Amino acid sequence: MKNSKSFLILSYAVIAVLLVLYVAPLILVLNVSLKSYPEYLINPIGLVKEVQWSNYISAWTEGNFTNYFLNSVIYTGVATVLTIIVSVLGAFPVARGYVKWSGFIYLFFLLSQFLPNPMVAQYKLMLTFKESMDFFGYDTKLGYIILKTSGTGVVFMMFVGYIKSISRDLDEAAGMDGSGYLRYLFQIILPLMKPVIATGVILTAIGIWNDFVGPIMYLPSKANYPITFGLKEFKGQYGNNWPLLACGITIVATPLIVLYTFIQKYLVDGALAGAVKS
């Protein structure tokens, strides 16, 4: 079947459709972002004739993207690292069965993925923390980071599945050599988990970077806006200037595209390992 002509034609047809669906919008946005406003009005979807790189400078400065970008980098970077660390610390003993009721704990995380979004409860919790601690809770950077770190369910389950595929003989050998628990976990197990960690990083980073509802609820102060909410403010000011708005969209999308480019070689192996070896 794999060598049949009809199978090849169908495969290329599906790939072509996917390319059109995913790549064409990116190319269209990039093309619009490089046009001057008069050129856009004359021919909105035509190829750019005179490239206007200054559009990005204008969009960055006028949209105050420096502050928004730094906020998003802090939220995404810190919360992603904490999520990976917490997930590894929780997944290893569960995968190895070193804690009681490890099967129930894994089942609990699995069932939690089907529960309704706890947004109302989280909102009340953040308000409660804010009343007792000014630096933590509602409308604080630290509170938002901790809130985003709590969403470890999928990553935790992927890590459990992958760790089960790692031989227990390593645990025994490390114990005989006198290796401490944390040293063994972070110097031996963690390097072996590169594929699934890369998958966890990209899934977590996408969820945090692109989050729009969370900042609306938990970060009302303009100084704490992430870049997605900053783009909303930018659209309110320049909604009619599509070249500048397209620059803003490109600025928001570029960091994740770059991140994916660097770690994409690990993603397939990590996703398959987390899904099958559980």
Side-chain angles (χ1 to χ4, degrees):
M1 179 180 177
K2 291 184 178 180
N3 296 326
S4 66
K5 186 175 181 179
S6 59
F7 179 82
L8 290 176
I9 293 175
L10 178 61
S11 299
Y12 282 114
V14 172
I15 293 172
V17 171
L18 292 176
L19 286 174
V20 171
L21 291 177
Y22 287 95
V23 178
L26 295 176
I27 296 176
L28 178 61
V29 170
L30 180 62
N31 182 61
V32 171
S33 70
L34 296 175
K35 292 182 177 182
S36 64
Y37 187 61
E39 183 182 351
Y40 171 77
L41 294 177
I42 295 173
N43 190 1
I45 61 175
L47 292 177
V48 60
K49 296 180 180 179
E50 297 182 8
V51 176
Q52 303 291 326
W53 294 109
S54 60
N55 286 349
Y56 283 90
I57 300 176
S58 299
W60 185 272
T61 55
E62 295 176 18
N64 192 28
F65 277 111
T66 300
N67 182 53
Y68 302 146
F69 186 85
L70 288 176
N71 285 341
S72 283
V73 169
I74 292 173
Y75 298 148
T76 305
V78 177
T80 299
V81 171
L82 290 178
T83 297
I84 298 301
I85 293 175
V86 171
S87 297
V88 170
L89 291 174
F92 181 76
V94 170
R96 289 292 197 247
Y98 292 155
V99 293
K100 292 183 178 180
W101 308 301
S102 57
F104 173 77
I105 294 174
Y106 182 82
L107 179 62
F108 174 80
F109 273 89
L110 178 62
L111 294 176
S112 68
Q113 303 305 304
F114 300 95
L115 296 176
N117 194 312
M119 189 170 293
V120 175
Q122 289 177 346
Y123 182 77
K124 292 182 177 180
L125 181 64
M126 297 290 280
L127 289 177
T128 302
F129 283 136
K130 181 64 175 178
E131 293 175 358
S132 57
M133 295 176 287
D134 292 336
F135 63 92
F136 179 76
Y138 181 74
D139 198 20
T140 63
K141 289 183 172 66
L142 180 58
Y144 188 71
I145 289 172
I146 298 300
L147 180 67
K148 287 301 174 182
T149 303
S150 63
T152 60
V154 174
V155 179
F156 170 84
M157 290 188 294
M158 291 174 58
F159 284 7
V160 169
Y162 197 90
I163 291 172
K164 287 182 178 180
S165 69
I166 300 176
S167 175
R168 285 176 174 266
D169 294 341
L170 289 175
D171 301 7
E172 299 174 1
M176 294 177 63
D177 290 340
S179 175
Y181 179 77
L182 292 179
R183 180 183 178 186
Y184 169 67
L185 195 59
F186 287 100
Q187 291 188 359
I188 299 178
I189 295 297
L190 210 62
L192 297 175
M193 295 175 60
K194 284 182 180 179
V196 73
I197 286 177
T199 306
V201 166
I202 195 66
L203 290 178
T204 306
I206 288 175
I208 299 172
W209 185 275
N210 289 337
D211 187 20
F212 182 76
V213 177
I216 292 178
M217 293 191 62
Y218 306 117
L219 299 172
S221 297
K222 193 171 184 178
N224 294 330
Y225 284 175
I227 198 168
T228 49
F229 203 67
L231 181 61
K232 173 184 175 296
E233 295 293 305
F234 185 73
K235 179 181 181 300
Q237 300 178 38
Y238 302 96
N240 294 326
N241 193 332
W242 274 97
L244 285 186
L245 187 57
C247 289
I249 295 172
T250 305
I251 290 171
V252 173
T254 298
L256 289 182
I257 295 175
V258 173
L259 176 64
Y260 178 83
T261 301
F262 279 103
I263 67 175
Q264 57 86 24
K265 63 180 180 179
Y266 298 109
L267 293 182
V268 174
D269 291 339
L272 289 178
V276 177
K277 298 173 184 178
S278 57

